[in-house]
Amino acid sequence: LAAMAWGAGAAGVGAAPRPGVPETLRVGTDATYPPMEFMEGDEFRGFDMDLIREIGKRLGAKVVIQNVGWDGLIPGLNNRNYDVVISAMTILPERQEAVDFSDPYFNAGQIIVVRKGDTRVKGPNDLKGKVVAVQINTTGQFASEKIAGVTRIDKYDTTPLAVQAVMQRSADAAVIDLPVAVELVKEYPGQIEFVGKPFTEEYYGIAVRKGRPELLKAINEVLQEIKRDGTYDKIYARWIGR
Ligand code: ARG
């Protein structure tokens, strides 16, 4: 029995310990973002949650997840509240000044969400003269700021709140990540739709505090394995390819 417990608890029989990997991998996320990260009761669910649990398993680390407001994620990482952030976070040069990112693991662009049947907005240029709702300090906000003539950009703490502002007519459109738009359209059938195709190209990465190159390298190595052996595709099919 003792031998079995030992075998099951470790990274895997014969797996070498990885330098720089903590025993417990503490994870910060803003779990308001289906299907990437969201709460179901007190359980963390979604694509990113499955991915980071798989990464933890392969690193031989116990994964402990904390729910953190979007705006606090990077400060909390740099304050050592957790070891990594996985939160559908787009790799941006500005963010790379504050933290390091893993290799990209997901391609997601910005897309416009409107009330169902609202034919006024067909693309980014039609947001001229409109009120746009976004989650604060996201690439949805940054993309909206680049569109000329937008009347106002209303910044919400979460993406569902930005989309609700559209449904309640306090905004004309929301600019959000494609996978989340697809999910929210399913959650509010008949109320909202997304228009056209994504108009930016972005990649999500896992953020690690600067000065932890071994942890970053270990994460990239297992991420490669997960992509190569078909586990990534299974997680993708579970949350995205439905
Ligand atoms: N991908 C966008 C960005 O990095 C939005 C991510 C929001 N993520 C979340 N869990 N709320 O700015």
Side-chain angles (χ1 to χ4, degrees), residues 49-156:
M49 303 296 93
D50 281 0
L51 183 62
I52 200 67
R53 286 185 180 117
E54 185 64 30
I55 289 171
K57 190 168 138 196
R58 292 185 190 215
L59 292 177
K62 180 176 175 228
V63 171
V64 175
I65 305 172
Q66 293 179 44
N67 202 354
V68 179
W70 171 251
D71 244 2
L73 277 172
I74 289 182
L77 181 61
N78 284 333
N79 197 38
R80 299 177 144 74
N81 298 355
Y82 28 85
D83 302 297
V84 299
V85 167
I86 186 164
S87 198
M89 187 175 275
T90 303
I91 302 170
L92 295 178
E94 297 77 8
R95 290 176 183 160
Q96 282 172 315
E97 284 172 22
V99 294
D100 287 338
F101 282 96
S102 71
D103 294 335
Y105 69 87
F106 199 97
N107 177 355
Q110 295 304 305
I111 193 138
I112 301 167
V113 173
V114 296
R115 287 182 293 281
K116 192 164 173 67
D118 183 348
T119 54
R120 296 172 304 163
V121 178
K122 298 206 164 57
N125 293 333
D126 304 320
L127 294 176
K128 203 178 154 143
K130 303 284 190 297
V131 174
V132 176
V134 298
Q135 183 178 17
I136 191 163
N137 283 332
T138 60
T139 47
Q141 176 186 325
F142 308 146
S144 304
E145 285 166 350
K146 291 198 181 109
I147 300 167
V150 169
T151 301
R152 205 174 72 226
I153 299 173
D154 288 346
K155 303 173 186 104
Y156 292 88

Side-chain angles (χ1 to χ4, degrees), residues 156-206:
Y156 292 88
D157 284 340
T158 71
T159 290
L161 285 174
V163 168
Q164 282 157 27
V166 176
M167 296 193 286
Q168 291 157 6
R169 298 182 169 267
S170 47
D172 297 298
V175 175
I176 70 175
D177 291 8
L178 176 65
V180 182
V182 171
E183 189 67 27
L184 292 179
V185 166
K186 281 189 216 151
E187 261 179 48
Y188 302 107
Q191 294 200 66
I192 49 171
E193 61 189 339
F194 57 85
V195 297
K197 289 199 173 106
F199 64 96
T200 64
E201 192 178 311
E202 301 177 21
Y203 294 92
Y204 297 161
I206 298 163

